[in-house]
């Protein structure tokens, strides 16, 4: 059993399509099919179910893929650790940011103060598997993480952002039923924040009437300033979101909150640069929490 066979299998498993995998690997489809057959012969069983022209990873294949991924992860970790040992560490750090983007600039400033040679790769609003392809993930959820490779950075409530010219802005006691006929502005439906809001609203059998989806908080703020709707926003991490023309109100009868977390891949070797970024992010939020 050769590493090349395993790499081919891994690619087929990700695409679950021989032609697409062959294209990615830059080899002929018949050659890839033959390689897969030889691998299945060595394993002693089929790894995919054939359904017409499609192939689907079966239960045995899923087991095999888990260990193949571990093999390649171990090789990657070994190469990273060797470079660190030889003092030729890759100083780039890949961070996926799915929450707290308004604080991101300050975080990067703090890291640069500690080590100006670190280079960042920052990804937002992406469907890429963050912990497989990156080093650190800042995300949010309505649930607390329950694993040793995540740490809560911040717990905060969600509030309603309202243009000052809106009739609701004058109310001090806003309840959920006051929002039933309102138009909402929301981050896109792939965002952590949208999923959190949807979770809580569904528990109350309430579906906000979303008139506009946006990609960034800054666009949301611009639309709120134009009095084009209201929005649910995080209370603390978006504290600088409000302007002279926007007010925030807590719902008196309905509480929503989210947890911002920092996560890393426990099976991946963390370089000194990644560890430094991890420690600074945690330290920054510890100080940030003490202010609120």
């Amino acid at each position: 059993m050769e590493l090349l066979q395993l790499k081919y299998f891994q690619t087929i498993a990700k695409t679950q399509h021989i032609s697409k995998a062959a294209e990615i690997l830059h080899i002929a489809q018949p050659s890839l099919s033959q390689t897969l057959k030889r691998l299945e012969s060595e394993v002693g069983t089929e790894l995919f179910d054939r359904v017409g022209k499609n192939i689907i990873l079966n239960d045995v294949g899923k087991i095999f893929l888990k260990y193949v991924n571990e093999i390649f992860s171990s090789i990657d970790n070994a190469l990273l650790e060797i470079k660190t040992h030889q003092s030729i560490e890759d100083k780039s750090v890949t961070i996926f940011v799915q929450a707290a983007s308004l604080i991101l600039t300050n975080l990067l400033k703090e890291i640069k103060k500690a080590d100006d040679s670190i280079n960042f790769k920052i990804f937002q609003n992406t469907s890429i598997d963050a912990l497989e392809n990156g080093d650190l993930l800042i995300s949010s959820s309505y649930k607390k993480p329950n694993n040793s490779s995540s740490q809560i950075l911040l717990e905060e409530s969600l509030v309603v952002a309202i243009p000052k010219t809106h009739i609701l802005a004058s109310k001090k006691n806003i309840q959920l039923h006051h929002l039933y006929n309102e138009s909402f502005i929301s981050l896109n439906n792939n965002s952590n924040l949208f999923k959190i809001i949807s979770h809580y609203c569904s528990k109350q059998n309430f579906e906000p009437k979303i008139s506009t989806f946006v990609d960034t908080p800054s666009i949301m703020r611009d639309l709120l300033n134009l009095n084009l709707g209201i929005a649910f926003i995080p209370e603390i991490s978006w504290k600088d979101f409000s302007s002279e023309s926007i007010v925030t109100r807590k719902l008196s009868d309905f509480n929503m909150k989210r947890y911002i977390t920092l996560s890393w891949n426990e099976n991946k070797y963390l370089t000194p640069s990644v560890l430094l970024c991890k420690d600074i992010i945690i330290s920054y939020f510890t100080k940030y929490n003490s202010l609120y």
Side-chain angles (χ1 to χ4, degrees):
M1 195 173 296
E2 301 173 356
L3 281 178
L4 188 61
Q5 286 178 302
L6 300 182
K7 176 57 70 176
Y8 285 0
F9 162 74
Q10 189 184 54
T11 305
I12 297 170
K14 285 182 178 180
T15 61
Q16 300 204 59
H17 198 285
I18 291 289
S19 296
K20 289 181 181 178
E23 184 178 344
I24 292 170
L25 294 166
H26 304 292
I27 63 172
Q29 181 179 329
S31 176
L32 182 58
S33 297
Q34 287 299 317
T35 300
L36 177 58
K37 285 183 180 179
R38 287 195 298 272
L39 178 62
E40 289 180 324
S41 177
E42 289 188 52
V43 174
T45 184
E46 292 187 346
L47 301 170
F48 296 88
D49 292 332
R50 276 69 176 177
V51 182
K53 294 183 179 180
N54 299 318
I55 59 172
I56 300 173
L57 196 66
N58 60 30
D59 289 342
V60 174
K62 290 175 183 177
I63 293 172
F64 192 64
L65 178 62
K66 179 178 69 172
Y67 289 100
V68 168
N69 287 340
E70 288 180 3
I71 288 169
F72 286 109
S73 178
S74 295
I75 292 172
D76 290 340
N77 288 342
L79 295 175
L80 286 171
E81 191 165 353
I82 288 169
K83 286 182 179 180
T84 300
H85 179 73
Q86 295 176 329
S87 300
I88 52 174
E89 176 202 349
D90 181 359
K91 302 285 285 187
S92 63
V93 178
T94 302
I95 305 176
F96 283 75
V97 181
Q98 298 174 356
S101 60
L102 294 176
I103 304 175
L104 180 61
T105 301
N106 289 334
L107 284 175
L108 299 185
K109 284 180 180 177
E110 291 299 314
I111 294 169
K112 278 292 189 179
K113 283 181 186 177
D115 187 345
D116 191 50
S117 64
I118 291 178
N119 298 310
F120 300 106
K121 296 178 183 177
I122 308 294
F123 294 91
Q124 292 180 270
N125 302 327
T126 176
S127 59
I128 297 173
D129 188 329
L131 293 181
E132 181 179 339
N133 295 279
D135 299 307
L136 299 171
L137 166 66
I138 299 175
S139 61
S140 63
S141 175
Y142 59 86
K143 296 187 293 186
K144 290 183 178 181
N146 58 357
N147 57 70
S148 58
S149 56
S150 293
Q151 180 162 334
I152 295 175
L153 299 173
L154 178 67
E155 177 182 343
E156 62 182 337
S157 295
L158 302 183
V159 295
V160 188
I162 307 168
K164 280 190 176 179
T165 55
H166 194 289
I167 189 171
L168 288 177
S170 61
K171 285 182 172 289
K172 298 301 181 184
N173 181 20
I174 297 180
Q175 298 182 343
L176 187 61
H177 69 86
H178 291 135
L179 310 181
Y180 285 173
N181 296 316
E182 296 298 328
S183 294
F184 279 81
I185 303 167
S186 171
L187 289 185
N188 68 72
N189 55 14
N190 289 321
S191 68
N192 288 175
L193 184 58
F194 175 85
K195 294 173 183 177
I196 293 168
I197 293 168
S198 296
H199 165 77
Y200 282 111
C201 288
S202 65
K203 293 178 70 173
Q204 299 293 321
N205 297 314
F206 170 53
E207 184 174 353
K209 297 177 181 178
I210 300 174
S211 60
T212 310
F213 284 101
V214 298
D215 287 331
T216 66
S218 60
I219 297 176
M220 180 186 288
R221 178 168 50 203
D222 291 343
L223 297 183
L224 283 166
N225 284 332
L226 293 174
N227 200 11
L228 295 182
I230 63 176
F232 287 121
I233 68 169
E235 182 180 25
I236 298 175
S237 60
W238 286 30
K239 67 179 180 63
D240 295 329
F241 180 90
S242 296
S243 65
E244 292 182 357
S245 57
I246 299 173
V247 299
T248 58
R249 296 283 185 267
K250 284 187 176 181
L251 292 176
S252 61
D253 63 339
F254 180 41
N255 182 40
M256 295 186 288
K257 65 180 178 181
R258 73 168 183 170
Y259 301 95
I260 295 178
T261 61
L262 177 67
S263 303
W264 54 93
N265 189 335
E266 61 184 352
N267 297 316
K268 186 174 182 179
Y269 175 75
L270 303 184
T271 67
S273 293
V274 173
L275 288 172
L276 176 64
C277 290
K278 172 175 169 282
D279 291 343
I280 289 176
I281 291 171
I282 292 172
S283 175
Y284 179 89
F285 272 92
T286 299
K287 295 175 184 175
Y288 191 83
N289 281 320
S290 67
L291 300 174
Y292 299 97

